[in-house]
Amino acid sequence: MKLAAAEINLSALRHNLRRIKALAPRAKVMAVLKANAYGHGLVTIAQHLQDADAFAVARIDEALALRAGGLTKPIVLLEGFFNANDIPILLANNFQTVIHNEYQLNALESAKLDAPIATWLKVDTGMHRLGIEPEQLDSFYNRLKSSENVKPQVNLMTHFSCADDVENSKTKVQLNKFTQLVDNKNESLCLANSAGIIGWPESHNDWVRPGLMLYGVSPMQEQVGAHHGLQPVMRLTTRVIAIRSLPANEPVGYGGRWQSKHATQLAIVAMGYGDGYPRHAKNGTPVMIRNQRFGIVGSVSMDMITVDIGDNKAGIAVGDEVEMWGPNLPVEEVAAYADTIPYELLCNVTPRVSYEYVDKNQA
Ligand SMILES: *Cc1c(COP(=O)(O)O)cnc(C)c1O
């Protein structure tokens, strides 16, 4: 009996990439695979994104793991390099680097290289995380253009802070600022993350950078992937390992965080924060057993969760499969019950969970 399993549906993954291309038909796609492909498995996910134009990761180790796995597409380092000694590794492995600060620019200019490196100059238009100041753009751009260590085309990018909210005018402000800044430069432009792709078509430009939506999950507030024609890639399941009867007015689990109002039955399921299930999931967070939703009760523990199955009309028995999230139970919904975002739940799935890759058409 397999406990704590993540079924990764590669046919859904390919469907989501096609959906991205349908939404942004003129843009090239840089598939974002950081954090173990959002918890889905870096190399296997990359192998099944043949139709992406490039990959993007956050760290050089992630990029090296893709090359070690035999992937040959261009790979963009979204935060660039942090140490000048890494520049020859970038060249040797055909990694493209984001440039977002003076250190990186100086290091790249003074490196001794046999061939130039492809760059993405990142400008901060209001996110205020990474990126050069708008006033620095011309000077950075001109220096990159005249460096022998840099490929002639200097790609330009920025990142949105609030694109998941279509009511928020901040995205328009960032978009306009970027458009003005790059107006006189004939280069490839890249702005949109998943939320930009869905919510802000005017941001698509030459390249888009989808992460979350590749995995079938909605980046937009209060929506699920299906609203945007996406299919969940991960199905996280486990099994019922015990059925218990609980009298009225009895507490359940560590700290007695929940108490029965009347006599009920509990299904104990083999999943907990040791598998990456969020410990802060509230009473009532849904799980699916026998095609019905039931709410969890009491604290999530390391290996187990208790589920209130009432009078068990459904006939739930030991060994039954439990879907924690997946095609029948959107991870977006579970995230809301845990006061977090689906990104975090997907990334947090731990190595104890067994991964299985399948190809299943979802209706
Ligand atoms: C993570 C990341 C993305 C992808 O974001 P999603 O919301 O998952 O689509 C795009 N660009 C940058 C710079 C990122 O860090």
Side-chain angles (χ1 to χ4, degrees):
M1 181 162 101
K2 202 182 255 174
L3 305 174
E7 184 183 273
I8 306 296
N9 187 348
L10 299 164
S11 137
L13 177 74
R14 291 190 299 269
H15 166 89
N16 296 331
L17 180 56
R18 286 195 298 275
R19 184 79 193 116
I20 291 163
K21 289 179 172 235
L23 286 168
R26 283 179 299 278
K28 289 186 185 171
V29 176
M30 189 189 292
V32 180
L33 303 178
K34 62 198 182 187
N36 194 29
Y38 291 46
H40 291 70
L42 176 65
V43 170
T44 312
I45 292 295
Q47 283 166 341
H48 289 84
L49 291 173
Q50 295 298 335
D51 294 334
D53 300 283
F55 299 134
V57 295
R59 310 273 162 82
I60 200 166
D61 288 354
E62 297 173 324
L64 288 168
L66 285 170
R67 288 286 180 258
L71 281 306
T72 56
K73 280 188 207 299
I75 302 176
V76 179
L77 299 171
L78 289 171
E79 292 150 34
F81 56 91
F82 310 103
N83 187 326
N85 296 333
D86 287 341
I87 296 175
I89 302 176
L90 269 49
L91 184 60
N93 290 281
N94 186 26
F95 298 161
Q96 308 186 357
T97 184
V98 164
I99 297 287
H100 60 80
N101 65 21
E102 186 93 33
Y103 169 79
Q104 292 173 325
L105 178 61
N106 290 335
L108 191 53
E109 282 177 329
S110 51
K112 301 269 173 292
L113 302 177
D114 303 332
I117 284 180
T119 58
W120 294 81
L121 180 54
K122 181 166 187 173
V123 53
D124 178 13
T125 53
M127 170 82 171
H128 300 323
R129 192 177 59 182
L130 287 187
I132 58 168
E133 301 299 331
E135 308 78 66
Q136 299 177 295
L137 179 61
D138 283 335
S139 127
F140 269 68
Y141 179 77
N142 293 333
R143 281 172 64 185
L144 287 171
K145 284 301 249 191
S146 53
S147 168
E148 283 185 355
N149 287 337
V150 175
K151 284 199 176 160
Q153 190 186 27
V154 172
N155 308 291
L156 300 168
M157 67 184 286
T158 193
H159 193 55
F160 294 134
S161 57
C162 305
D164 57 328
D165 177 5
V166 288
E167 306 292 319
N168 194 320
S169 58
K170 173 88 185 218
T171 305
K172 265 268 152 53
V173 173
Q174 289 193 264
L175 192 54
N176 291 342
K177 189 178 259 183
F178 188 73
T179 309
Q180 270 174 18
L181 282 167
V182 302
D183 189 34
N184 57 350
K185 298 177 177 59
N186 185 22
E187 305 287 357
S188 285
L189 308 178
C190 181
L191 302 88
N193 54 2
S194 296
I197 293 167
I198 291 174
W200 308 87
E202 61 277 47
S203 74
H204 291 172
N205 274 292
D206 304 295
W207 284 85
V208 292
R209 301 192 300 276
L212 193 67
M213 68 189 293
L214 275 172
Y215 310 103
V217 178
S218 170
M220 309 311 279
Q221 293 174 11
E222 322 263 311
Q223 293 179 341
V224 298
H227 291 139
H228 306 291
L230 301 169
Q231 299 177 354
V233 174
M234 185 188 291
R235 180 166 185 268
L236 184 68
T237 63
T238 188
R239 300 276 169 178
V240 174
I241 57 168
I243 305 281
R244 307 286 310 283
S245 293
L246 186 73
N249 307 312
E250 284 294 324
V252 166
Y254 286 119
R257 244 185 65 190
W258 180 85
Q259 233 188 33
S260 55
K261 290 200 180 65
H262 36 74
T264 190
Q265 292 193 54
L266 302 174
I268 318 303
V269 308
M271 165 99 26
Y273 61 81
D275 304 291
Y277 193 87
R279 199 178 76 83
H280 295 289
K282 294 187 190 57
N283 290 321
T285 304
V287 302
M288 282 294 279
I289 315 174
R290 298 202 175 196
N291 292 319
Q292 284 179 47
R293 287 175 173 228
F294 298 93
I296 73 170
V297 292
S299 296
V300 170
S301 47
M302 190 184 293
D303 313 309
M304 285 174 276
I305 297 171
T306 41
V307 177
D308 184 0
I309 54 172
D311 55 7
N312 195 11
K313 270 207 200 68
I316 293 167
V318 169
D320 278 4
E321 189 188 68
V322 186
E323 183 170 321
M324 309 307 286
W325 62 67
N328 305 299
L329 181 57
V331 66
E332 295 90 328
E333 230 180 289
V334 179
Y337 274 96
D339 289 326
T340 184
I341 52 175
Y343 295 82
E344 188 182 26
L345 298 192
L346 296 174
C347 287
N348 276 357
V349 173
T350 68
R352 184 167 79 178
V353 173
S354 66
Y355 278 68
E356 191 192 354
Y357 292 87
V358 300
D359 250 300
K360 275 187 192 168
N361 279 323
Q362 282 177 30

